[in-house]
Amino acid sequence: MDELTKNDPGTKPKKRRQPRVERDIFGNEYLGAKTVFTLNLAVDQLPDGAQRLISLASSLQMTGYDLALVFSEALLMVDTAFWERKMEDLTPFEWTLHEALKDEAFRKVVAAYLDERR
């Protein structure tokens, strides 16, 4: 703030809002936002264990259980290597090359390779 607006009662410094602590479906605290999405799967596409769980819940007329919680928990248990492979599969080659070329040493290797090919 400059000297002219410092004493102006209409000019107040903005207060920073404290981040709100939320709780997820498992009761864990987190800051920020979470993404909610819908799974589009037929029951017969699910693994056998999930199919049996749905069948059992239906036949026993279980109430008070949330299938979304079960699938959320299952997603949290998926191995990190799966998600890394998926990211590699979905990342375009051009983007990977662009990121790699930011490294000076790699850029020199590529330039040398291209010079050899001429």
Side-chain angles (χ1 to χ4, degrees):
M1 243 187 276
D2 62 355
E3 288 299 317
L4 294 175
T5 58
K6 187 164 121 179
N7 296 324
D8 183 6
T11 311
K12 294 182 181 177
K14 292 182 179 179
K15 291 183 181 179
R16 290 186 181 249
R17 190 172 21 161
Q18 292 294 323
R20 192 169 72 171
V21 176
E22 302 279 343
R23 290 195 178 274
D24 65 13
I25 58 177
F26 303 109
N28 300 320
E29 291 184 350
Y30 70 94
L31 296 175
K34 289 196 174 187
T35 302
V36 176
F37 57 93
T38 304
L39 298 175
N40 293 316
L41 297 171
V43 174
D44 61 344
Q45 293 177 307
L46 295 172
D48 290 340
Q51 288 182 30
R52 286 194 306 273
L53 176 70
I54 292 169
S55 175
L56 178 67
S58 172
S59 65
L60 296 177
Q61 298 177 349
M62 292 172 58
T63 58
Y65 92 99
D66 186 356
L67 199 54
L69 289 174
V70 174
F71 284 100
S72 295
E73 186 177 0
L75 280 173
L76 292 174
M77 295 174 71
V78 174
D79 186 36
T80 305
F82 167 82
W83 299 113
E84 290 171 357
R85 279 193 316 273
K86 196 48 86 172
M87 285 190 303
E88 287 175 14
D89 292 346
L90 297 174
T91 302
F93 174 74
E94 294 82 4
W95 186 87
T96 305
L97 181 60
H98 182 280
E99 288 298 304
L101 288 173
K102 289 180 181 178
D103 177 27
E104 183 70 30
F106 181 73
R107 199 166 47 238
K108 286 179 182 177
V109 170
V110 171
Y113 173 77
L114 293 175
D115 285 342
E116 289 175 12
R117 303 284 298 184
R118 286 188 200 172

